[in-house]
Amino acid sequence: GTIPCSVCMKTNGRIICSFDNPDPFEKLVGVTEDNYWRHWLACEGCSLLRSEFSRDPEVLHTIYEEKYRSVGSGLRQHTVEELFLTISNIPKQESETHFRVDWLLNSLGILKKSRLISDKLSSRLLDVGGASGVFAHAMMNHGFEADVLDPSQDGDFIRKYGVGYYQGYFGQTPLEKQYDIMSFLYVLEHLAEPGAMLDIAKRNLSPDGLVFFELPDATVVDFGNTEHDAYNACHLWLFGSAQITELLTKHGFSVLA
């Protein structure tokens, strides 16, 4: 391996699976089969799973700005707003978003009662990478002042539903306020330097602020299905609970729930 592990910084690892053809995301930005390779490795130090590849590491950045959510890219059948309306109207008992929101609100209640967080924690939320608008809007409906930050050109529609929108990259786009909660739903695995993102989050959180993550689960390797979406070329890391806990602790966070 040549890429340092984002948790323990070791470079050696054991290859667990390999690909010799670009996946649909890579093809969309012009990656070809010529001298192509992509491996998933398990770090020898902490077992974090990471992706190494032959492509230019910068080449996928444009996909997040122009094509990742765009109906014209061939990856999506509907506009972002159409998907937002469809998902927002799923009955609560069938909705992953409602389950996520209920879990977060319940956890905040428990943490406040247990005095693990301040009962004066305010309600400013920034959803990083959430250009679908679904989660931020759902949180707005529960009284949160919600904004989204995402590089996508297609996320600005959410403003008309009462959610603020910053188009840009986290850490490069100036924020107008500090936030009490930052959510990263299936974002960390896309970042070349997840630790640097945590440092930026810490600087932009209120003194008692929280981060809320969802991630693909590294236990996907136990099922042996290399066609699983967790292995797609946009993902650079697959964290287990031990690795994400170690990374958060290393960057000054405590795991509360």
Side-chain angles (χ1 to χ4, degrees), residues 31-167:
V31 177
T32 69
E33 296 180 13
D34 296 341
N35 300 313
Y36 177 89
W37 55 266
R38 181 163 57 94
H39 306 312
W40 277 94
L41 297 87
C43 174
E44 70 165 10
C46 67
S47 299
L48 175 67
L49 303 183
R50 71 177 184 269
S51 177
E52 296 195 357
F53 39 78
S54 57
R55 68 175 188 263
D56 178 348
E58 301 296 320
V59 75
L60 278 187
H61 285 192
T62 57
I63 202 171
Y64 299 119
E65 299 170 16
E66 301 172 5
K67 298 176 180 179
Y68 194 67
R69 300 184 186 278
S70 172
V71 70
S73 68
L75 294 174
R76 313 290 179 185
Q77 302 300 315
H78 302 281
T79 67
V80 182
E81 185 171 5
E82 288 170 345
L83 285 172
F84 164 78
L85 292 171
T86 298
I87 295 170
S88 296
N89 287 314
I90 293 174
K92 181 172 182 177
Q93 64 273 19
E94 302 171 17
S95 170
E96 180 180 303
T97 299
H98 281 296
F99 176 84
R100 178 179 294 127
V101 169
D102 287 348
W103 185 92
L104 178 57
L105 295 177
N106 184 58
S107 296
L108 290 173
I110 292 170
L111 291 170
K112 287 179 179 180
K113 288 179 182 178
S114 304
R115 301 184 185 276
L116 291 171
I117 62 173
S118 170
D119 60 3
K120 294 182 174 59
L121 185 74
S122 191
S123 56
R124 295 181 299 267
L125 177 137
L126 180 67
D127 187 28
V128 179
S132 72
V134 175
F135 177 70
H137 186 258
M139 291 297 287
M140 185 196 77
N141 287 338
H142 284 273
F144 282 75
E145 179 187 332
D147 296 327
V148 170
L149 186 150
D150 192 288
S152 173
Q153 299 172 359
D154 298 298
D156 195 61
F157 79 93
I158 197 63
R159 291 178 184 272
K160 68 184 181 184
Y161 296 95
V163 174
Y165 190 72
Y166 300 93
Q167 186 195 342

Side-chain angles (χ1 to χ4, degrees), residues 173-194:
T173 305
L175 301 176
E176 298 170 0
K177 65 192 102 168
Q178 284 194 311
Y179 288 89
D180 306 294
I181 300 175
M182 288 188 181
S183 52
F184 299 84
L185 307 181
Y186 298 97
V187 169
L188 205 64
E189 67 274 14
H190 293 258
L191 304 178
E193 298 183 34

Side-chain angles (χ1 to χ4, degrees), residues 6-7 48-49 188-189 194 215-219 237-245 247:
S6 66
V7 174
L48 175 67
L49 303 183
L188 205 64
E189 67 274 14
L215 300 158
D217 193 335
T219 56
W237 317 95
L238 288 173
F239 293 89
S241 58
Q243 293 87 24
I244 189 62
T245 298
L247 182 68

